[in-house]
Amino acid sequence: MKVVVFGPSGLIGDGFLQESLRAEDVTDVITIGRTPQDTAHPKHRHIVHDDFLDFTAIAEHLAGADACFWGLGVSSAGMNAQDYERITYDYTTAAARTLATINPDLTFVYLSGAGTDSTEQRRSRWARVKGRTENAIITTFPHGYALRPAFVLPAHKKRSKTPAYRWGTTAITPLAPLLRRLSPAVMTDTAQIGQAALQLARHGHPRHVLENRDIIALATTPLNP
């Protein structure tokens, strides 16, 4: 299986990358980003690309992809509406258009978030934009999925680039085992998200929008159920 990962330098993207590299049935992992990245692993090849509104120039590198895991995203806090929509919706759908042309049966897993609004009607801007993006992916790909984790803990020794998130993670990590048992609907980690994405690529799912409980269930499903 050939997997394409967008946003590999981020927390979630790193989870997609690391779990894909560990998976025996993944033969190639292509990551896309604006800056160079370590590609020491024999499965891994990184493509530097600047224009995230047009991916046709790198279509040859995406050829043969079986799955795309989209981990690129930003917080809406302090960001104007146009920039947030461009990064969240326009970048994602630009990649989806190129990938759909290459392989319409590709599995596209979009990292969304708890509270996203599929109706695109609520007052919260970020929820509407993410809902619109989810809908676009699910419409474009028969095997298009949106993951909606709640609080995500880092795995693989990765740290978030967002100071507030790093502080929150440091504060909550000692309580994580207890919180996982008491409230599995609100907590997961980047390894589980990566594992869930791989299971979607392998086996699909009857629902296209998966909440935190679904992510955990997928991550703990045997490799060949």
Side-chain angles (χ1 to χ4, degrees):
M1 179 163 57
K2 178 176 179 178
V3 172
V4 177
V5 176
F6 286 85
S9 63
L11 193 66
I12 305 297
D14 181 72
F16 287 146
L17 171 60
Q18 298 302 328
E19 291 305 313
S20 295
L21 292 176
R22 294 181 181 193
E24 292 184 1
D25 57 342
V26 174
T27 56
D28 298 282
V29 182
I30 307 298
T31 55
I32 312 296
R34 286 198 173 95
T35 58
Q37 188 173 6
D38 177 29
T39 57
H41 197 287
K43 289 185 185 180
H44 181 202
R45 185 158 51 97
H46 183 68
I47 308 301
V48 177
H49 183 68
D50 291 326
D51 187 357
F52 273 55
L53 294 174
D54 186 353
F55 294 95
T56 55
I58 62 168
E60 64 180 288
H61 299 291
L62 307 177
D66 301 290
C68 172
F69 302 155
W70 188 272
L72 191 155
V74 292
S75 170
S76 63
M79 181 171 287
N80 67 56
Q82 292 77 17
D83 288 343
Y84 182 73
E85 182 158 351
R86 184 182 72 256
I87 295 170
T88 304
Y89 179 82
D90 294 344
Y91 287 2
T92 312
T93 54
R97 285 193 298 272
T98 298
L99 287 163
T101 300
I102 294 169
N103 180 9
D105 291 325
L106 173 139
T107 297
F108 195 113
V109 180
Y110 170 66
L111 194 284
S112 186
T116 294
D117 175 23
S118 295
T119 71
E120 306 177 39
Q121 299 298 316
R122 295 180 193 164
R123 292 184 62 184
S124 175
R125 183 185 71 206
W126 76 264
R128 293 196 310 272
V129 175
K130 277 190 174 289
R132 183 183 172 207
T133 309
E134 287 184 355
N135 292 337
I137 293 303
I138 293 167
T139 300
T140 301
F141 295 98
H143 305 293
Y145 302 95
L147 300 182
R148 292 182 176 180
F151 191 87
V152 180
L153 290 169
H156 313 114
K157 300 181 180 180
K158 182 73 175 180
R159 299 182 69 208
S160 172
K161 296 179 181 179
T162 305
Y165 194 88
R166 287 202 304 270
W167 178 88
T169 298
T170 300
I172 206 170
T173 294
L175 302 174
L178 176 63
L179 293 174
R180 283 179 188 270
R181 291 196 298 271
L182 295 178
S183 189
V186 300
M187 184 171 291
T188 186
D189 63 43
T190 57
Q192 289 177 315
I193 291 173
Q195 292 158 11
L198 287 164
Q199 288 291 58
L200 289 172
R202 293 174 183 127
H203 307 296
H205 198 278
R207 293 193 303 279
H208 291 271
V209 176
L210 296 101
E211 304 290 346
N212 208 79
R213 285 184 183 273
D214 303 313
I215 294 169
I216 296 171
L218 273 172
T220 56
T221 300
L223 185 60
N224 294 302

